[in-house]
Amino acid sequence: LEPLLASPHLRIEEATTLRVAALQMDAAGRAGQPALMNRQVRHAVAHAVDRAGIVKHLWGQPESAVLNAFCAPGTFGCDQDAVRRYEFDPDKARALLRAAGYPDGFEVEFSAPQHRPEVAVIAANLQDVGIRSRVNIYPPATYARLREAGELQMTYVAFGGSQLGDVVAGVYDYHYSFGARDMARDPFVRDLVAEAMSTVHQERRLEIVRQLEPYLAEQMYNLPINVWSRPYVMHRALSFRPTPDELPALYTARWTL
């Protein structure tokens, strides 16, 4: 973007999206690494990853942009202040691994279809506490096949919730309903998500979300990292405001000449 900023005719509008990035772990144990079934190990991973460094150096965002709950702020039911926080603390991560019975760490397959910079940082963070990652960057079709078969031990994802501004319909229904993206396979979560998806009563849906968010943060099936942003480059004479769904509503644009 820097060369474009030098143009006197252009401006850049940075827009927040609904796309949430997270580190997913095979808590269900389908992919052959039983260490990730241990909640203490997943807590260790949460403390090992320098999420503030990722959002600062890869995304140019402040430390406050690090997510606590696996949802985009502003979506229905998303409450970032209602869940447990995991600070970057490698020493605590090592202590948790020892307590879980992994004093020397363990090896894990870390797969993704893209996102090489984020994957490289996370792998280095894990290596620092003794979790040795074998990184695989797969073509998207191969990655999707492995995900469908439950063969991913750990993966970095960035999911936009199909542009639905609702924490259950946009995120949880995809990641906790025993589908291809569900690496937790938790019946308690699945049943609550199914109930929330079957009612339109807002108060009941919020009651369900208030049960889900603290529980999911404690179980640490998915470590939320940040919400992606998107840059929009346009002529200075164009009046246009991007929306979080990443779909440019060009019919709203107006020339100011």
Side-chain angles (χ1 to χ4, degrees), residues 134-190:
R134 296 190 297 274
V135 175
N136 304 302
I137 304 296
Y138 290 111
T142 303
Y143 176 84
R145 177 179 59 79
L146 294 172
R147 182 179 65 189
E148 184 74 33
E151 297 181 13
L152 301 179
Q153 295 181 1
M154 183 179 289
T155 182
Y156 175 91
V157 297
F159 184 66
S162 300
Q163 290 80 40
L164 296 173
D166 183 290
V167 64
V168 177
V171 179
Y172 294 167
D173 189 45
Y174 286 87
H175 288 89
Y176 299 113
S177 296
F178 283 48
R181 291 184 174 89
D182 188 353
M183 296 172 69
R185 306 276 159 161
D186 187 326
F188 174 74
V189 177
R190 177 200 59 196

Side-chain angles (χ1 to χ4, degrees), residues 1 16 55 63 88 92 105 127 143 159 185 211 220 237:
L1 295 176
T16 300
V55 302
E63 184 174 344
F88 175 52
K92 187 169 186 177
Q127 176 78 30
Y143 176 84
F159 184 66
R185 306 276 159 161
Q211 292 181 66
M220 189 43 61

Side-chain angles (χ1 to χ4, degrees), residues 163-221:
Q163 290 80 40
L164 296 173
D166 183 290
V167 64
V168 177
V171 179
Y172 294 167
D173 189 45
Y174 286 87
H175 288 89
Y176 299 113
S177 296
F178 283 48
R181 291 184 174 89
D182 188 353
M183 296 172 69
R185 306 276 159 161
D186 187 326
F188 174 74
V189 177
R190 177 200 59 196
D191 293 347
L192 280 178
V193 168
E195 183 182 351
M197 290 292 289
S198 67
T199 178
V200 295
H201 296 289
Q202 290 192 11
E203 286 305 315
R204 178 54 187 154
R205 298 187 81 246
L206 283 175
E207 288 176 3
I208 293 171
V209 172
R210 288 175 186 136
Q211 292 181 66
L212 281 171
E213 288 180 333
Y215 178 82
L216 290 171
E218 185 64 33
Q219 295 300 318
M220 189 43 61
Y221 297 135

Side-chain angles (χ1 to χ4, degrees), residues 80-175:
Q80 294 293 326
D81 297 323
V83 303
R84 175 175 174 175
R85 297 170 181 263
Y86 295 83
E87 303 298 335
F88 175 52
D89 189 339
D91 289 335
K92 187 169 186 177
R94 296 184 191 98
L96 285 167
L97 288 173
R98 288 194 297 271
Y102 296 93
D104 300 320
F106 58 91
E107 291 190 353
V108 66
E109 295 277 353
F110 187 7
S111 307
Q114 48 186 332
H115 321 301
R116 289 177 184 269
E118 289 88 347
V119 169
V121 172
I122 294 170
N125 290 157
L126 295 178
Q127 176 78 30
D128 185 50
V129 302
I131 302 175
R132 300 170 294 282
S133 303
R134 296 190 297 274
V135 175
N136 304 302
I137 304 296
Y138 290 111
T142 303
Y143 176 84
R145 177 179 59 79
L146 294 172
R147 182 179 65 189
E148 184 74 33
E151 297 181 13
L152 301 179
Q153 295 181 1
M154 183 179 289
T155 182
Y156 175 91
V157 297
F159 184 66
S162 300
Q163 290 80 40
L164 296 173
D166 183 290
V167 64
V168 177
V171 179
Y172 294 167
D173 189 45
Y174 286 87
H175 288 89

